[in-house]
Amino acid sequence: MMNDITTPDNPNSRCGFVAIVGRPNVGKSTLLNHILGQKLSITSRKPQTTRHQVLGIKTEGDVQAIYVDTPGMHEEEPRAINRYMNKAATSALVDVDVVVFVVDQLNWTTADEMVLEKLERVKCPVILAINKVDKLEKRELMLPHLESLAAKRDFAEIIPLSALRETNLEPLEEAVGRFLPQSVHFYPDDQITDRSQRFMASEMVREKITRQLGAELPYSVAVEIEEFKQQGKTLHISALILVERDGQRKIIIGDKGARLRQIGQEARIDMERMFDTKVMLKLWVKVKRGWADSDRALKSLGMNDL
């Protein structure tokens, strides 16, 4: 995080960090993507899709909000990859100016309670965002639910919304802007993330794997970008897909390579849209046993930035 930011000449200029937190699969990444107006964090219906902190930068006039999309917080940490994701989520709460705590409509679980406990040490304003209200069948249950949530903590705001349908996102952004400190903007007004294009390319491949394979494959998949080179009008990208077992490798490759080709085609379309250039994408699948259980393997994959 950035410190010692001097007060700008423009008293209306505001800037700060906003952590988006919550248990897995409540819609944190979808919320960030729709606030930004473009895909930045990968999404799927599968919990625990997000592994890294991803900064999404939204500049609207005098206000620059730097959103930190975090992995969902886990109640248990049996594997190194789960410990890493919990650490990533918890560290995002350090030195932020606002927290957006996302929950799923009327559902309140022990995992939500665990996140709330972690927020007890947070001194900045905490906005409670009740997501997926468009799926609510009995709307009369919302008011008593709001009252019960309000009793759990002195939230700065409680905002029902639908990230997917972009319902009530404006009140959320307005509330965030009010709580950000007076400051110069940390990033150029047209920048939307701090992540490299190589990182975004690896996440696009991982998203297509997660979306296509769903329950067929556990979370033992990582993607390394081995080549990222612009040659003329074409961006050449080579990606290595790592799995833990031979059976997983066969699942990703599919019958005569059909599944791998489909993953590559869908990822390439997203890459061409984001990078605004023709992309030549090559994918390989390799077995690397035990990487999700090994702290050393996680560091070799770049998951040591905390």
Side-chain angles (χ1 to χ4, degrees), residues 25-26 44 50 53 93-94 98 102 109-110 115 126 129 137 150 155 173-174 194 225 239 253 279 286 294 297 303:
N25 214 30
V26 290
S44 81
T50 301
Q53 290 181 14
L93 298 175
V94 178
V98 184
V102 185
T109 69
T110 55
V115 177
V126 176
E137 294 181 0
F155 292 105
E173 291 188 68
E174 287 176 354
D194 67 326
I225 301 298
I253 293 174
V279 171
K286 178 182 176 181
S294 165
M303 298 186 190

Side-chain angles (χ1 to χ4, degrees), residues 90-107:
T90 303
S91 68
L93 298 175
V94 178
D95 294 333
V96 296
D97 301 289
V98 184
V99 171
V100 177
F101 176 21
V102 185
V103 296
D104 185 351
Q105 36 175 331
L106 300 179
N107 302 317

